[in-house]
């Protein structure tokens, strides 16, 4: 029964991330600033989590003591694993598509496994069939990312010609992305996923030092919101772009803030505690399947082999 709960939670996490890829891309297609979006996302998550952490942990005095050294460590985890990596991911997504974004996340198991081996949390024995299979999987995943970034292959047109999240009004999304922009987007998202994989692996040791999952998540969201605000303030000087441009942008901020950054982060930490970081990472391909199916209907994205396709709505002049 316990394993059933873990599997159901992992499935829910992957559905949440599919929604994140799609709604985030839709918000960017409406012209929303990537850095401002990341700040709003983490600010909403912090506002949502703080009351729960206060009444369930702090007020009841169930939270373990928190010293300056541990607070600094959580601050660093929030910076590279949330504020920094989500900013890189958002900029990359702005240059690519929701489906490619989800596909990039499939390298998380590879990076997480390599890091886990380096940190002696997992083992790799190339003298066994199991070890050879692991090594082969690593090369296949890396090869898949290279194909996605550089190879221009055939496409399968979306059957939906009237996407629900229509974004023709955005001038930024009114033309096909150039090959250079697409490759840059893939590179930035790959970098963000590598950093995020490190964050995933490091959550296990962090939980041993500070076992409160709720307060741990809340503190990281609070720190990430402050860090994201500083980044947005430096990079986005046009304050007119700090406004939420329509219902899709608002829905995206609320969904990624409450459901992804707050609820999903807590669920991921719970799964990592139960099964370890590699187990969670191995479920990443599910997000790609969900994203491909949903993005085809909501964004009108065509499914392609490699980087030869952008969403139909982007290709219309």
């Amino acid at each position: 029964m316990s394993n059933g709960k873990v599997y159901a939670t992992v499935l829910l996490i992957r559905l949440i991330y599919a929604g994140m890829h799609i709604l985030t891309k839709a918000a960017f297609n409406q012209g929303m600033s990537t850095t401002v979006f990341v700040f709003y996302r983490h600010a909403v998550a912090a506002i949502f989590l703080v009351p729960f952490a206060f009444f369930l942990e702090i007020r009841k005095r169930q939270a373990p003591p928190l010293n300056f050294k541990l607070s600094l460590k959580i601050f660093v985890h929030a910076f590279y694993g949330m504020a920094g990596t989500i900013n890189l991911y958002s900029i990359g997504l702005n240059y690519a598509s929701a489906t490619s974004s989800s596909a990039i996340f499939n390298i998380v198991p590879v990076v997480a496994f390599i890091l886990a081996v380096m940190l002696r949390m997992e083992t790799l024995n190339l003298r066994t069939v199991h070890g050879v299979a692991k090594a082969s999987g690593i090369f296949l995943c890396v090869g898949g990312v290279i194909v996605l970034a550089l190879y221009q292959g055939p496409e399968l047109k979306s059957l939906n010609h009237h996407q629900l999240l229509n974004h023709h009004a955005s001038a930024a999304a009114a033309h096909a992305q150039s090959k250079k922009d697409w490759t840059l987007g893939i590179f930035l998202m790959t970098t963000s996923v590598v950093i995020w994989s490190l964050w995933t692996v490091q959550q296990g040791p962090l939980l041993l030092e500070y076992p409160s999952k709720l307060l741990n998540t809340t503190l990281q969201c609070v720190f990430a919101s402050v860090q994201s605000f500083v980044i947005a303030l430096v990079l986005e000087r046009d304050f007119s772009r700090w406004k939420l441009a329509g219902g899709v942008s608002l829905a995206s901020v609320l969904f990624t803030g409450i459901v992804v950054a707050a609820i999903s982060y807590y669920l991921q930490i719970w799964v990592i505690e139960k099964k370890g970081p590699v187990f969670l990472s191995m479920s990443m391909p599910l997000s790609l399947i969900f994203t491909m199916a949903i993005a085809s209907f909501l964004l009108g994205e065509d499914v392609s082999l490699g980087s030869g396709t952008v969403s139909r709505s982007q290709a219309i002049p």
Side-chain angles (χ1 to χ4, degrees):
M1 185 64 181
S2 178
N3 285 337
K5 289 181 179 180
V6 174
Y7 294 139
T9 302
V10 168
L11 185 63
L12 176 61
I13 290 171
R14 295 305 153 224
L15 281 169
I16 289 173
Y17 269 84
M20 178 197 74
H21 296 305
I22 293 165
L23 283 174
T24 303
K25 180 60 178 177
F28 293 160
N29 284 338
Q30 285 194 340
M32 187 171 187
S33 168
T34 56
T35 54
V36 173
F37 171 83
V38 175
F39 162 61
Y40 285 156
R41 164 182 169 158
H42 288 126
V44 168
I47 293 171
F48 177 80
L49 284 173
V50 164
F52 289 97
F54 178 77
F55 287 107
L56 298 179
E57 296 277 351
I58 299 175
R59 190 174 183 181
K60 293 183 179 180
R61 297 185 178 181
Q62 294 184 355
L66 186 67
N67 55 42
F68 176 78
K69 182 179 179 180
L70 190 54
S71 299
L72 183 61
K73 182 175 292 188
I74 294 174
F75 181 88
V76 172
H77 281 301
F79 178 71
Y80 78 84
M82 296 175 71
T85 190
I86 299 300
N87 267 290
L88 285 176
Y89 160 82
S90 298
I91 296 171
L93 178 59
N94 201 29
Y95 288 125
S97 68
T99 302
S100 65
S101 167
S102 183
I104 288 295
F105 268 67
N106 286 315
I107 70 169
V108 169
V110 174
V111 180
F113 178 74
I114 292 174
L115 291 172
V117 171
M118 293 173 62
L119 296 172
R120 298 184 179 180
M121 299 169 66
E122 293 282 345
T123 58
L124 177 62
N125 186 358
L126 294 178
R127 296 180 180 179
T128 64
V129 175
H130 187 61
V132 172
K134 287 181 178 180
S136 300
I138 291 174
F139 286 111
L140 286 173
C141 285
V142 174
V145 173
I146 295 174
V147 167
L148 184 65
L150 302 177
Y151 176 68
Q152 183 164 341
E155 64 185 48
L156 178 63
K157 293 291 184 180
S158 170
L159 298 177
N160 177 35
H161 299 282
H162 303 283
Q163 55 268 24
L164 296 179
L165 299 181
N166 195 309
H167 43 269
H168 295 290
S170 173
H175 58 85
Q177 297 287 355
S178 69
K179 183 73 175 181
K180 182 179 180 180
D181 286 344
W182 183 281
T183 304
L184 176 61
I186 297 299
F187 172 76
L188 290 174
M189 287 192 293
T190 302
T191 303
S192 74
V193 167
V194 170
I195 298 172
W196 188 76
S197 300
L198 175 62
W199 177 87
T200 302
V201 171
Q202 289 296 325
Q203 292 311 295
L206 182 60
L207 281 173
L208 295 177
E209 291 188 68
Y210 197 72
S212 173
K213 294 183 289 295
L214 178 57
L215 200 54
N216 187 353
T217 305
T218 303
L219 286 172
Q220 291 199 56
C221 286
V222 170
F223 287 147
S225 64
V226 175
Q227 294 159 352
S228 300
F229 174 72
V230 175
I231 293 172
L233 203 60
V234 172
L235 298 180
E236 187 53 75
R237 300 295 181 87
D238 183 2
F239 289 100
S240 64
R241 299 195 66 195
W242 287 64
K243 297 179 181 179
L244 294 176
V248 174
S249 297
L250 177 60
S252 180
V253 167
L254 292 177
F255 180 84
T256 57
I258 297 174
V259 182
V260 178
I263 298 175
S264 175
Y265 279 13
Y266 178 83
L267 292 177
Q268 288 178 81
I269 290 176
W270 181 79
V271 172
I272 290 171
E273 183 184 44
K274 296 293 183 181
K275 291 289 187 177
V278 176
F279 175 83
L280 176 63
S281 301
M282 292 300 291
S283 65
M284 282 293 178
L286 292 175
S287 289
L288 174 60
I289 297 172
F290 296 146
T291 304
M292 287 172 58
I294 301 172
S296 176
F297 286 94
L298 296 185
L299 297 178
E301 286 188 353
D302 301 324
V303 179
S304 67
L305 177 61
S307 59
T309 305
V310 294
S311 66
R312 184 190 306 108
S313 54
Q314 287 177 313
I316 295 174

